[in-house]
Amino acid sequence: MTAQALYLDDPYLRDADAEVIALTDEGGVVLSRSVFYPTGGGQPGDSGWLEWGSQSLQIATAVKGDGGGAVLVPAEPARLPPVGTRVQQTLDWERRHRHMRIHTALHLLSVVIPLPVTGGQVGAGTGRLDFLMPEPPEDREAVEQALNRLVDRDLEVTEGWISEAELDARPELIKTMSVKPPRGAGEIRLVRIGVGSEQVDLQPCGGTHVARTGEIGALKLGKIENKGKQNRRVYISLA
């Protein structure tokens, strides 16, 4: 059975009912539909809880299983809901929302620093991108101000889909050198920041994002590390 990725349809969905369709040999739980984002693309898996009857199970994270669906990983060894059980799933929403804010902010960082991205990581309040950048930015304050101007414009964040053939014809959409868009499903998800003449960014991404840049809030530019002859690691955080 194929699990439905509810987090792609609505990243603001905090809870939902579902049926347990599988238990993994490692002690993970697979649901018929999931609000839990599984670790991928530099974004951590979601945490939260499952409840059924009088039972509850704390979920530490979610990882990708066979077919890319979410496997929920318990925080500690515990009794698992049997296959066929109807459960209520609930996200640790504050943590997820901070991931959404930082992930969207990293897209903006790639706009302010328009260089190839060699890596990245989303955290709950902090994040970083690695750039193919021989020299660090000369004016740190200018980078931070440019980031916050994009936030303050309250640009709409939307998603769409593109065929693999269309993406092949537009290689400039792929900013990240280290993580390639997943292929094999026929279509690839695009995240767009800004609409029409207001568009500032368009790139493949399977993560969760806020609906408007204003929701990110004020950002601070953190340290910039030398990660090799041609690479610089740039950190940002929620103010």
Side-chain angles (χ1 to χ4, degrees), residues 25-196:
D25 293 339
E26 296 77 19
V29 181
V30 182
L31 303 180
S32 58
R33 54 187 201 144
S34 178
V35 298
F36 288 81
Y37 177 84
T39 301
Q43 181 173 329
D46 287 325
S47 54
W49 302 268
L50 293 183
E51 295 181 338
W52 67 101
S54 61
Q55 304 289 318
S56 65
L57 180 68
Q58 185 177 359
I59 301 300
T61 189
V63 297
K64 289 183 180 177
D66 296 338
V71 177
L72 310 188
V73 180
E76 57 186 28
R79 181 187 173 202
L80 303 180
V83 172
T85 303
R86 298 296 299 184
V87 299
Q88 183 72 17
Q89 53 186 317
T90 303
L91 287 180
D92 179 343
W93 170 248
E94 182 177 346
R95 178 172 178 267
R96 152 69 87 77
H97 191 232
R98 291 169 78 86
H99 287 164
M100 290 164 61
R101 292 164 66 193
I102 285 292
H103 199 149
T104 312
L106 290 177
H107 281 234
L108 296 182
L109 183 62
S110 75
V111 174
V112 173
I113 303 178
L115 295 173
V117 176
T118 58
Q121 186 66 47
V122 176
T126 62
R128 53 92 172 167
L129 287 181
D130 298 346
F131 291 96
L132 192 60
M133 181 195 304
E135 299 295 332
E138 293 183 2
D139 191 338
R140 288 174 47 91
E141 185 176 348
V143 173
E144 184 175 288
Q145 289 176 347
L147 265 176
N148 283 298
R149 281 196 297 270
L150 289 172
V151 170
D152 292 342
R153 284 171 64 181
D154 198 28
L155 299 166
E156 186 177 3
V157 182
T158 57
E159 65 178 59
W161 296 85
I162 190 172
S163 71
E164 294 178 6
E166 288 173 315
L167 184 62
D168 289 338
R170 300 182 64 186
E172 74 279 2
L173 293 178
I174 302 176
K175 294 186 176 184
T176 304
M177 300 168 64
S178 59
V179 180
K180 299 301 181 184
R183 291 176 175 267
E187 288 190 318
I188 293 169
R189 183 173 180 251
L190 293 179
V191 172
R192 183 190 311 270
I193 301 181
V195 178

Side-chain angles (χ1 to χ4, degrees), residues 205-225:
C205 187
T208 58
H209 303 82
V210 294
R212 305 191 71 91
T213 61
E215 193 175 331
I216 296 170
L219 293 168
K220 286 192 172 296
L221 185 68
K223 59 186 176 181
I224 299 176
E225 295 179 341

Side-chain angles (χ1 to χ4, degrees), residues 4-22:
Q4 183 183 0
L6 296 176
Y7 54 85
L8 288 180
D9 299 328
D10 182 3
Y12 289 87
L13 189 62
R14 306 182 189 195
D15 52 67
D17 62 353
E19 180 181 337
V20 178
I21 59 174

